[in-house]
Amino acid sequence: MASTAQAVTLPKYAQVAVPVHLSKTFTYRLPASMQRDVRLGSRVVVPLGRKPVTAYVVALLPALREGTSLIESEIKEVEQLLDRDPPLTPQVLEVTRWVADYYLAPWGEVMRAALPTGINASVEEVVSITAEGQAQRSAVRSQSNVKTRALNLLAAAGDLDLKTFCLRIGVSRTPKWLRELEADGLVERVHRARSTVTRARKRKMVRLKLHSKDGAEHQSLTRAQHAVIETLRAHQEEMAVGDLIESAGISESPMRTLSKKGMVEIFEEDVRRDPLADAKLPAPDDFQLTPAQGQALDAIEQPLTEGGFAAFLLHGITGSGKTEVYIRSMRTALAQGRGAMMLVPEIALTPILSRRLRANFGDQVAIFHSSLSKGERFDEWARARRGEAQIVIGTRSAVFAPVENLGLVIVDEEHDTSYRQQESPFYNARDTALIRGQKENAVVVLGSATPSLESFHNAQTGKYQYLHLANRIANRPLASAELIDMRDVFAQAKRPATFSDQLLTAIQQTHARGEQAIILLNRRGYSSFILCRSCGESITCPNCDVTLTYHRSDRTIVCHYCNHRQIAPSVCPVCDSKYIYYVGEGTEQIEEEIRKRFPSLRIARIDRDAASRRHAFEKALLDFGKGELDMLVGTQMLAKGHDFPNVTLVGVVSVDAGLALPDFRAAERTFQLITQVAGRAGRGARGGRVLIQTYHPGHYALRLAATQDYPAFYNEEIRHRRNHGYPPFVALASMLVHHRELRRAQSIALSLRKALNEANSNRACRVLGPAPAPLARLRGEHRLHFLIKSRSRRSVRQLIDTALNAGEFSDTDLRSVNVEIDPVSMM
Ligand code: ADP
Ligand code: ZN
Ligand code: ZN
């Protein structure tokens, strides 16, 4: 009965999205053999153009849609169904669809980003010999030409993927004669999904089946067989085969004999590659919450137990106990039988935090760390998919984690730019988390010591409920931040110095007391700008309120938003001083200079390059935590999320370079950086000092960060945003054109400008550009960009959509154009 009912509704067609730079979906016919097993979210192999590709099923259709332009006879068939159990749950599929839609990103690419890398199968071409080929081979055995060699090879080796085949025959690319062999029906070429997809790892186990101490059974056993049984008894009757061999000092054969006798059982078990398998875990804390923590927790628990969507901004300085509130809310979610998810910035997922969470939640938490091996990541993901882990902690892409019955989403350090993916698909995990919460009726908590202007604005307008932890735990004092005026240092020394005497003395004293220091360099200078050493002013664009960038080649200063250009001045336009100075050279030499001045200090450097070496980075942090290093020198990633009680000095060496980035968020980023960094010092009982070197001590971002006055900073900054028309008052998008040839980049940019103008005939948006991007050349490509602003978010997306689909672009490769909705970095 069930089968006839199903036969009526079985899908005949599948609509799929492909993980390439194409935003449309494609329709394929489902062979009868797949109709029963295919599911929404399943991966399939389909022919696309001349090549088969992996694709994701986004809709199943019993018949072609009415009014479709598809022609039945031209629809191709799905070649292969890769999963019966689709890796994308319906909820996650829905979120990917929203992301694709909102960020104008190809749906298939979003789905690929949503899955752990190991699971994205690729397709390979396989060569094999046919029955006819076999027959032919015997007939012409004596001839020794290359075709015969090829047939012999295939007969001996079985199927070979095309690359291996070419390698074994000794040709560099597919030879013409192979096509001839194929045409003659002697060999076959097919495409299939590559089989090296990451899978669970298996381990051989042995288990005792004989439970009585029956002596009669024992009589007939050899000494080695006895040893097997005794060892198993000593180990809860079950062990890994390898372990048993080792501890009983035997070979595998007595085990096999016992297995044949039915006295033991040998079986396979999934091995979990646990990144924290050997870690020592701290005991879970169980202290009384402070009143402020208690209030925050109550507020979060209310919608959590009622089961509806709610959004909170948890604003609390570092050390105010936010993480503890997250942990308790997650416990509540679990107690409600619901899952939870916690997103953290790329670098804040320290070994320390991971251990704290493991200590609290044990195996219930799956950790998606960007530096896990593929296998480890797959295992953690699979534990969530199977429902074994109800909590997922991870960086950006964890927002797509298959958490079942999601009740709570936490986004820690919500202002952090690493939530934004800087390659296609360009999505923001924080904003995606809010959408996911809405769709799944979950509570979303955004936490930060320095909320993004957008989020604080949303709290002010009532879109988010505002929760505040105003004090540090145990009222530990905040480190005081002191601004060191480098104009004075310059006036005294009469020459530029990297370090002020104050900072050098402080480093020395800190070391003498046996305490630790962190020295923060600014991000590597992307571009130069002009700064006056006498008055500290830099030069900004009259239209856009961003710093003008210096171009050495033609001695001009340029606005990277609106393309305003002027000749670089030779004296300061503010104070007439001639000590104009071009900042932005690299900062590598700063570490060297410290090493030279303090040869006895044990120093480690942490920056993006070092961070890519996972173990070196983790080791430096752990060693520093254990007190085996005296100083960490690094870029802004050092500012985040670590808790080192013995750090009593933080020095910021070149804060001005960050302040002058041609980005309207430069002041906000600098404020965040300094506030975060001040939170690093004085975590312990000893308190701490923060020294900031600057030529611009009067700048509001520095002044207000030094006193940790977030509300005052917000008020000043929001005024700039309103006056100059930046988010949160307008919706913003950027379009980046990039190409190896400058000419080509320019011509694409020009036709894009034309298309944007046409699409914008109603003037719903403001279009700026093309202007050279602040990183005008990157990885061998020339880069030009546009900014699009409007009060209406919809108009921005519509404008871009219309422009990109205009006729001019029919011959443009859209891979040269990146579209970013709500960009967070303007570089
Ligand atoms: P944040 O996430 O805001 O930086 P944490 O939750 O990590 O703050 O708390 C800072 C420190 O204070 C941690 O060592 C934590 O164990 C401790 N802590 C948190 N809440 C309490 C509390 N109510 N009583 C005592 N110690 C606490
Ligand atoms: Zn000046
Ligand atoms: Zn400008």
Side-chain angles (χ1 to χ4, degrees):
M1 193 200 87
S3 69
T4 48
Q6 265 179 10
V8 181
T9 53
L10 279 183
K12 296 278 186 298
Y13 300 92
Q15 205 179 341
V16 307
V18 287
V20 294
H21 203 85
L22 286 170
S23 38
K24 50 182 212 171
T25 55
F26 300 87
T27 303
Y28 291 87
R29 192 191 337 274
L30 283 162
S33 60
M34 294 178 199
Q35 293 173 0
R36 202 171 295 274
D37 291 330
V38 69
R39 299 281 178 278
L40 275 186
S42 288
R43 296 168 310 149
V44 289
V45 176
V46 294
L48 183 76
R50 290 180 41 227
K51 270 180 67 188
V53 296
T54 315
Y56 305 91
V57 176
V58 298
L60 290 166
L61 316 170
L64 290 180
R65 294 212 165 100
E66 231 165 283
T68 177
S69 59
L70 291 172
I71 299 162
E72 170 80 40
S73 61
E74 288 178 3
I75 297 178
K76 295 184 188 151
E77 265 197 358
V78 173
E79 285 181 1
Q80 209 180 337
L81 174 64
L82 295 176
D83 330 271
R84 277 156 202 263
D85 214 3
L88 289 158
T89 63
Q91 292 86 348
V92 175
L93 193 67
E94 182 59 27
V95 174
T96 60
R97 196 171 65 97
W98 178 85
V99 168
D101 217 43
Y102 183 87
Y103 293 105
L104 299 168
W107 194 0
E109 271 191 1
V110 180
M111 285 188 269
R112 183 171 58 182
L115 293 172
T117 40
I119 214 173
N120 293 298
S122 59
V123 172
E124 64 188 3
E125 207 171 349
V126 177
V127 191
S128 58
I129 185 167
T130 61
E132 211 180 321
Q134 293 279 15
Q136 183 98 355
R137 191 174 68 93
S138 353
V140 293
R141 180 163 282 171
S142 57
Q143 291 179 27
S144 64
N145 67 12
V146 66
K147 286 188 186 176
T148 319
R149 262 208 305 137
L151 292 177
N152 285 337
L153 170 65
L154 290 172
D159 299 356
L160 284 178
D161 75 273
L162 189 59
K163 273 211 192 103
T164 315
F165 173 80
C166 291
L167 209 71
R168 299 268 291 266
I169 287 290
V171 293
S172 61
R173 65 171 98 150
T174 317
K176 212 170 77 205
W177 50 258
L178 184 65
R179 239 163 277 144
E180 292 164 9
L181 283 174
E182 198 184 359
D184 293 346
L186 306 182
V187 304
E188 223 172 30
R189 284 203 277 170
V190 294
H191 289 90
R192 70 172 181 211
R194 194 190 294 278
S195 51
T196 54
V197 184
T198 309
R199 290 221 175 79
R201 207 163 72 191
K202 303 279 188 196
R203 175 166 66 172
K204 239 204 244 169
M205 301 287 292
V206 53
R207 177 191 294 146
L208 195 61
K209 285 184 75 182
L210 148 127
H211 294 290
S212 75
K213 292 204 171 187
D214 187 352
E217 286 275 38
H218 273 72
Q219 311 288 289
S220 58
L221 297 183
T222 64
R223 183 197 277 268
Q225 290 166 352
H226 269 298
V228 169
I229 290 174
E230 290 317 313
T231 315
L232 278 170
R233 284 214 169 106
H235 288 86
Q236 276 95 40
E237 308 200 338
E238 186 175 308
M239 290 177 85
V241 166
D243 293 348
L244 178 60
I245 288 174
E246 205 180 297
S247 53
I250 48 147
S251 73
E252 203 178 325
S253 87
M255 251 177 277
R256 263 185 260 126
T257 316
L258 287 171
S259 162
K260 271 187 217 126
K261 290 181 189 234
M263 296 167 75
V264 304
E265 185 188 349
I266 297 176
F267 60 102
E268 281 194 333
E269 183 186 80
D270 281 4
V271 186
R272 188 170 140 219
R273 287 151 285 202
D274 183 353
L276 286 178
D278 306 318
K280 286 196 204 74
L281 299 180
D285 300 312
D286 212 8
F287 24 63
Q288 184 88 32
L289 291 185
T290 64
Q293 280 175 316
Q295 273 171 18
L297 183 62
D298 283 349
I300 293 166
E301 281 178 335
Q302 198 193 334
L304 191 54
T305 48
E306 283 165 6
F309 167 76
F312 292 94
L313 175 63
L314 178 58
H315 182 191
I317 50 175
T318 39
S320 60
K322 293 187 297 298
T323 309
E324 197 54 37
V325 173
Y326 303 151
I327 289 174
R328 309 258 174 143
S329 327
M330 288 194 272
R331 277 197 207 149
T332 306
L334 287 187
Q336 299 282 321
R338 304 188 71 182
M341 181 152 94
M342 176 170 169
L343 304 183
V344 293
E346 233 149 54
I347 221 64
L349 189 46
T350 58
I352 296 154
L353 177 64
S354 309
R355 284 168 173 73
R356 186 167 166 193
L357 294 163
R358 247 316 139 65
N360 272 280
F361 298 110
D363 274 348
Q364 284 173 309
V365 58
I367 298 182
F368 295 11
H369 196 307
S370 59
S371 60
L372 294 187
S373 72
K374 253 193 206 170
E376 288 169 339
R377 225 186 295 188
F378 175 81
D379 289 356
E380 289 296 277
W381 179 88
R383 290 198 317 115
R385 182 71 184 93
R386 289 193 300 261
E388 282 170 32
Q390 296 90 335
I391 302 182
V392 165
I393 314 287
T395 48
R396 187 173 54 229
S397 66
V399 73
F400 299 112
V403 177
E404 264 174 54
N405 192 9
L406 187 66
L408 176 68
V409 184
I410 289 158
V411 184
D412 190 28
E413 313 275 7
E414 64 83 26
H415 63 278
D416 196 279
T417 51
S418 72
Y419 286 123
R420 177 74 190 198
Q421 172 139 313
Q422 295 295 354
E423 60 185 38
S424 184
F426 294 92
Y427 69 96
N428 189 321
R430 175 197 58 200
D431 300 340
T432 306
L434 281 154
I435 294 299
R436 188 157 179 194
Q438 252 165 20
K439 288 190 185 296
E440 300 190 37
N441 285 321
V443 174
V444 181
V445 180
L446 308 182
S448 177
T450 51
S452 61
L453 267 256
E454 287 86 344
S455 294
F456 198 77
H457 186 74
N458 283 336
Q460 297 262 298
T461 58
K463 210 171 147 194
Y464 305 157
Q465 292 180 56
Y466 182 71
L467 304 171
H468 195 198
L469 302 180
N471 298 307
R472 282 188 148 183
I473 294 297
N475 285 319
R476 275 172 212 147
L478 269 176
S480 56
E482 302 156 51
L483 299 177
I484 298 175
D485 192 338
M486 294 303 281
R487 292 171 306 182
D488 297 346
V489 174
F490 177 73
Q492 273 163 27
K494 290 277 176 263
R495 61 183 179 80
T498 312
F499 294 105
S500 60
D501 285 343
Q502 284 114 297
L503 183 55
L504 292 174
T505 312
I507 291 175
Q508 200 141 45
Q509 288 169 345
T510 305
H511 183 50
R513 286 194 306 269
E515 294 163 5
Q516 291 172 302
I518 292 178
I519 298 295
L520 215 80
L521 317 174
N522 223 298
R523 71 171 83 205
R524 291 221 186 104
Y526 282 124
S527 52
S528 337
F529 65 100
I530 294 185
L531 182 92
C532 171
R533 285 198 202 274
S534 298
C535 74
E537 283 300 323
S538 52
I539 304 173
T540 56
C541 173
N543 309 320
C544 304
D545 196 35
V546 296
T547 309
L548 296 175
T549 301
Y550 177 61
H551 285 230
R552 211 174 291 265
S553 53
D554 55 359
R555 296 192 61 79
T556 53
I557 41 181
V558 178
C559 172
H560 281 292
Y561 284 11
C562 73
N563 213 15
H564 166 90
R565 279 164 199 267
Q566 64 187 73
I567 298 291
S570 54
V571 297
C572 173
V574 177
C575 76
D576 278 343
S577 147
K578 61 179 189 302
Y579 297 111
I580 282 269
Y581 152 67
Y582 306 99
V583 192
E585 33 287 326
T587 46
E588 291 86 352
Q589 54 297 15
I590 292 181
E591 180 202 2
E592 242 170 74
E593 196 174 331
I594 300 180
R595 279 189 198 279
K596 252 186 238 144
R597 282 177 187 271
F598 303 103
S600 64
L601 258 66
R602 295 163 299 173
I603 301 173
R605 177 187 174 126
I606 293 204
D607 58 21
R608 239 169 241 294
D609 303 341
S612 60
R613 282 174 284 127
R614 161 193 178 191
H615 292 293
F617 176 66
E618 283 201 357
K619 187 171 181 311
L621 287 179
L622 286 173
D623 287 353
F624 192 63
K626 279 185 283 184
E628 288 165 11
L629 290 170
D630 303 306
M631 180 187 279
L632 287 183
V633 179
T635 47
Q636 62 266 40
M637 60 172 53
L638 263 184
K640 297 172 193 166
H642 313 297
D643 192 348
F644 301 116
N646 198 36
V647 171
T648 56
L649 174 68
V650 177
V652 185
V653 171
S654 47
V655 78
D656 298 318
L659 212 45
L661 286 179
D663 186 329
F664 72 90
R665 289 194 179 88
E668 183 183 358
R669 298 267 176 269
T670 304
F671 179 86
Q672 286 162 350
L673 174 72
I674 299 207
T675 314
Q676 298 278 329
V677 98
R680 294 305 113 220
R683 300 277 289 197
R686 271 181 290 258
R689 276 181 91 190
V690 178
L691 299 180
I692 298 156
Q693 299 192 157
T694 175
Y695 283 93
H696 209 158
H699 194 289
Y700 66 96
L702 298 181
R703 224 174 357 94
L704 298 170
T707 52
Q708 302 251 350
D709 192 346
Y710 182 88
F713 172 75
Y714 173 81
N715 288 334
E716 177 83 28
E717 181 67 16
I718 203 82
R719 207 164 51 79
H720 285 279
R721 300 282 177 92
R722 193 183 279 116
N723 290 345
H724 296 277
Y726 286 117
F729 300 102
V730 300
L732 196 67
S734 70
M735 297 178 87
L736 179 83
V737 176
H738 54 102
H739 203 278
R740 295 200 161 268
E741 292 163 47
L742 181 60
R743 281 266 179 82
R744 187 76 189 116
Q746 283 165 338
S747 78
I748 295 173
L750 282 183
S751 56
L752 183 53
R753 174 77 217 202
K754 246 174 72 196
L756 285 167
N757 284 351
E758 268 158 40
N760 195 30
S761 54
N762 62 355
R763 305 245 147 224
C765 301
R766 239 189 110 199
V767 179
L768 297 174
L775 297 165
R777 279 205 79 179
L778 191 66
R779 291 188 279 270
E781 289 188 318
H782 296 271
R783 293 148 53 96
L784 298 160
H785 72 165
F786 293 87
L787 276 190
I788 295 147
K789 289 178 177 185
S790 173
R791 299 223 167 254
S792 148
R793 192 169 290 282
R794 225 162 115 227
S795 306
V796 171
R797 299 223 310 279
Q798 235 159 36
L799 171 69
I800 294 174
D801 210 33
T802 315
L804 287 183
N805 288 309
E808 279 99 311
F809 287 106
S810 47
D811 62 336
T812 301
D813 186 349
L814 285 183
R815 269 173 299 189
S816 322
V817 183
N818 294 346
V819 177
E820 282 195 62
I821 306 291
D822 307 336
V824 302
S825 162
M826 307 300 296
M827 303 309 285

